[in-house]
Amino acid sequence: MKKQPSCLVLSVMLLLSAPAQAGMLGVDALGGLNHTTWFMNPVPTGSTLSPGLGFNAGAMINFNPISLITVEVGGFYSTRSISVGFGPITQSLSFGAIQIPFLVRLNPIPFLSLGFGGFYQMAIGSVNVNNSVTGASSTTFALANLSTSSVGLMASLQGRFNLPLTGLSVLGRVNYLFGLTNDTTVASTFAGLRDLQFQAGVGYEFL
């Protein structure tokens, strides 16, 4: 009789962490924060680069072709921000973009998964500029020497916990986006954006 509580707890944990079965289709609504850095080569003489914060929100559609493997594709609105310092003057640049990630996710243990894939990004709108001397303004991507589209690699660590008998789940993710294309139009300069994303959300599986 004393073993019944332990067995009950174990059963609940198995239900919460049970992986999706092969052939299941689901959707995840996610949102969170971006921590963006800019890798530049060469760095302009006398300047410093600082990371910036933004946000992201969107959804992923996932499908399990076979057990323990999930294929995902989605769409997100994401804001990215960086700062450049020139001595006592600091200028930050921020803009919005549509990101389309594609991942193949492996589930080595029931509630934890690793995803690997890539992303495409299309910048939209204008570039917001905040200069410590001249104040806030906006400009075009061409005048800011920024390209409007890029591709890159993506890695993701996810934890998912199922809510028994509902088809719902709660999940959290940490993503790393590594831009491969040049995000600046300045001659003889390479600039690639790198994002660390923190996301949380809810998922639903269509039984």
Side-chain angles (χ1 to χ4, degrees), residues 128-142:
N128 299 312
V129 181
N130 195 336
N131 188 289
S132 59
V133 175
T134 60
S137 62
S138 63
T139 188
T140 65
F141 285 89

Side-chain angles (χ1 to χ4, degrees), residues 25-29 59-62 160 202-206:
L25 180 69
V27 60
D28 300 325
M60 297 286 286
I61 296 174
N62 56 74
R160 180 188 296 270
V202 295
Y204 181 75
E205 291 180 346
F206 300 93

Side-chain angles (χ1 to χ4, degrees), residues 106-129:
L106 308 176
N107 305 278
I109 56 178
F111 61 87
L112 193 66
S113 64
L114 297 170
F116 302 95
F119 71 93
Y120 169 76
Q121 174 181 282
M122 178 179 64
I124 58 176
S126 58
V127 179
N128 299 312
V129 181

Side-chain angles (χ1 to χ4, degrees), residues 2 13 18 32-33 44 48 61 69 101 113 116 124 132 152 154 157 168:
K2 292 182 180 181
M13 290 299 295
L33 296 176
T48 57
I61 296 174
I69 292 181
S113 64
F116 302 95
I124 58 176
S132 59
M154 184 174 180
L157 175 65
L168 295 171

Side-chain angles (χ1 to χ4, degrees), residues 38-67:
W38 202 357
F39 169 80
M40 181 177 286
N41 185 30
V43 176
T45 303
S47 67
T48 57
L49 304 177
S50 301
L53 293 178
F55 73 90
N56 62 81
M60 297 286 286
I61 296 174
N62 56 74
F63 175 70
N64 298 89
I66 59 176
S67 181

